[in-house]
Amino acid sequence: LDAAVTELGHARGSAGFGLRETAADLAALAEILPTETAERIHDEGIPALSAWADAFIDRVHPPACVDALTGLVTPAYLRVRLAEVHRECNDRRLGVSHAYALVVVGPAHPAPTSLARLAARLRAGRCLRDWFPGGESACHLDGERVLVLAPRDDRLAPRTRGLAAELDGDGPGLSSIRPVADRLQDAQGQLDVLFGTAATDREADR
């Protein structure tokens, strides 16, 4: 079902259908499916609408390094930036672990529905630039958590706490700050672990 609704979203986006029309298509699909299967449509909304956004934005310009739905960079581009900061630090003879950090921020409690998770994803993209308005690179780890590649300075910890509090709404939120590994291979391994954990969490939520 996940693949089917993702294909539906991509097809509607490629054809130029709007977001409201695509959502209406999903609702119409739910009406003709057996009850048990139809209930899953509500949980599959994010893949469908994400596919719609990617396809729709590709009609305007070629595929880019930015997530069309939120304006944050893609995980693939974050890996490119990671390699760039390693070259920068090597050129300046700086230790990468002293200059940059990987910041993970998200709400303490997951959103209860797929629609709420989509709203949280959009909110994260909007709020992140309020707290990290500079040249930091940020992408989504999953529906609600964000990963930021940021310079290490005295403002990093308070900015991270502020973003975590805003994303959680009524609580302190969850956050962590990890120094970027000095070796590029090890730093890429850090991303592998983070993205792998996010994928495992998504499977557990289904």
Side-chain angles (χ1 to χ4, degrees):
L1 184 59
D2 179 81
V5 296
T6 298
E7 184 177 348
L8 172 64
H10 186 274
R12 290 298 185 266
S14 297
F17 286 88
L19 180 59
R20 180 173 296 179
E21 294 168 304
T22 304
D25 287 341
L26 287 173
L29 178 61
E31 290 180 1
I32 64 174
L33 290 173
T35 302
E36 182 177 338
T37 305
E39 290 176 350
R40 292 182 55 199
I41 289 290
H42 299 290
D43 296 326
E44 304 293 347
I46 290 179
L49 297 181
S50 294
W52 168 86
D54 290 339
F56 191 84
I57 203 69
D58 285 350
R59 290 171 52 85
V60 181
H61 58 71
C65 54
V66 175
D67 176 73
L69 196 62
T70 63
L72 301 185
V73 304
T74 62
Y77 181 72
L78 192 69
R79 291 184 182 277
V80 173
R81 282 290 298 134
L82 194 63
E84 289 176 343
V85 301
H86 271 80
R87 289 197 297 270
E88 171 200 342
C89 289
N90 289 338
D91 183 62
R92 297 172 59 189
R93 300 183 184 279
L94 295 175
V96 182
S97 59
H98 296 290
Y100 285 91
L102 293 172
V103 179
V104 177
V105 185
H109 305 288
T113 66
S114 59
L115 184 59
R117 288 193 293 272
L118 178 60
R121 184 181 179 90
L122 296 173
R123 177 182 175 82
R126 184 180 68 253
C127 293
L128 191 140
R129 286 309 170 197
D130 292 336
W131 292 97
F132 291 92
E136 304 89 356
S137 298
C139 72
H140 280 283
L141 269 182
D142 49 33
E144 299 170 74
R145 292 183 300 168
V146 291
L147 171 63
V148 187
L149 174 61
R152 296 187 68 182
D153 55 31
D154 294 339
R155 299 173 297 172
L156 182 58
R159 283 179 171 180
T160 300
R161 290 193 296 269
L163 176 60
E166 189 164 356
L167 293 186
D168 197 68
D170 57 358
L174 297 177
S175 64
S176 66
I177 299 175
R178 301 171 172 87
V180 175
D182 288 312
R183 294 178 63 245
L184 178 57
Q185 182 178 358
D186 294 335
Q188 295 287 7
Q190 289 178 295
L191 293 189
D192 291 340
V193 171
L194 289 170
F195 290 128
T197 301
T200 300
D201 291 345
R202 285 196 299 269
E203 289 297 325
D205 288 339
R206 291 182 179 178

